[in-house]
Amino acid sequence: MKPATGEGADKPINTGNEAPNPSNQSKVAVNIPSKPVIRIRPTKSWVSLDLRDLWAYRELLYFLTWRDVKVRYKQTVLGAAWAIVQPLFITLIFTVVFGRLVGLPSDGLPYLLFAYSGLLVWTFFANAVSNSANSLVADSRLISKIYFPRMIIPGAAVGAMLVDLAVASLVLVGLMLFYGVELAWGILMLPVLVALTTLLALGMGMWLAALNVKYQDIRYALPFLIQLSIYVSPVIYPSSLLPERMQWIYTLNPLTGIIENLRAALFGLNFDWPALLVSVAITAGVLVYAAYTFRRMEQNFADIV
């Protein structure tokens, strides 16, 4: 047989029967960890958000949020103006049907202003919950390929809807100027109420997103439940329309305290502090329970989606 020539011809061939040379082994050895560097497993504690891990991936949250904003309005004529079309047209219909024909009260406010302020909050909440609930299934390829905190995905879906809320709020500002609404000190509560609505949407969306991965019934039942929520929230009618004995039941809907107090902050009305405290307590409970459920189910996301 012709001897080997060229590069590497003078290197001995290890047949497997020879003891490895330690000097050569140190040059080619690869340090492979005996245990996985990152292991996705359910938490053993009551709630472990792992905030340090979420903070480490904060840039990913920003890019996913901006991606959702761009994808939503890609190849559209009106672009971000669609964020105004939905609540504005529904408000006009409600004003004609419930404000003029039915004659529902509006706490002394013009019904157009009353309805739009409620629809502004409800539309943001409904779209944020709907998008975040379907976010894990929509990003199934991303979940199955790389590791990152999965809470970022529903969080980005909710964050993207804040852009729509900001755009739709421009119409509310125009309506307030048209009707000559004067701002009071209560306007300082507006960021708190927006943050509370965002946390409530995040908690609901995160919980439904985890369930949606495992149970496909969620995607069919969710649109119906979201549409139903508009009739059990003070969007079309004020909570004062209900009998006094039913008021405490009505406040168990966290959107009740949020929407009523948002109107108080915008239009100088009296704040309903007990209803707001109930909304804060329920939002905190929903957020904690959603985080617990999400973390417990997170280990199986990549295998199911």
Side-chain angles (χ1 to χ4, degrees), residues 72-232:
R72 182 179 299 111
Y73 301 119
K74 185 179 181 180
Q75 295 180 345
T76 59
V77 177
L78 297 180
W82 282 110
I84 300 175
V85 172
Q86 181 181 359
L88 182 58
F89 273 81
I90 297 178
T91 298
L92 294 176
I93 294 174
F94 284 173
T95 301
V96 173
V97 176
F98 298 106
R100 297 292 180 87
L101 299 181
V102 180
L104 289 178
S106 56
D107 286 344
L109 298 172
Y111 192 86
L112 182 65
L113 197 60
F114 174 88
Y116 189 84
S117 59
L119 276 169
L120 186 67
V121 179
W122 180 85
T123 302
F124 164 70
F125 174 80
N127 290 338
V129 171
S130 179
N131 291 342
S132 58
N134 295 306
S135 59
L136 292 178
V137 176
D139 283 327
S140 57
R141 293 184 179 180
L142 188 62
I143 292 175
S144 59
K145 288 183 178 181
I146 60 174
Y147 169 79
F148 58 91
R150 309 308 191 201
M151 289 183 181
I152 287 180
I153 294 181
V158 174
M161 295 311 304
L162 286 171
V163 178
D164 286 12
L165 178 63
V167 174
S169 297
L170 298 177
V171 176
L172 180 61
V173 173
L175 291 175
M176 293 175 65
L177 293 175
F178 177 78
Y179 286 106
V181 176
E182 297 182 359
L183 300 181
W185 66 268
I187 197 68
L188 299 176
M189 284 291 296
L190 189 59
V192 177
L193 295 169
V194 173
L196 185 62
T197 310
T198 304
L199 292 177
L200 179 62
L202 177 61
M204 291 295 298
M206 190 164 50
W207 176 57
L208 292 172
L211 294 179
N212 194 23
V213 172
K214 189 175 183 180
Y215 305 105
Q216 295 186 1
D217 307 74
I218 300 297
R219 69 189 66 178
Y220 303 114
L222 185 59
F224 167 73
L225 295 176
I226 288 179
Q227 290 298 324
L228 186 64
S229 67
I230 194 174
Y231 300 104
V232 295

Side-chain angles (χ1 to χ4, degrees), residues 5-29:
T5 59
E7 182 181 359
D10 56 342
K11 296 181 179 179
I13 300 177
N14 190 350
T15 60
N17 298 325
E18 300 175 4
N21 189 342
S23 61
N24 294 332
Q25 187 178 10
S26 61
K27 298 179 181 180
V28 298

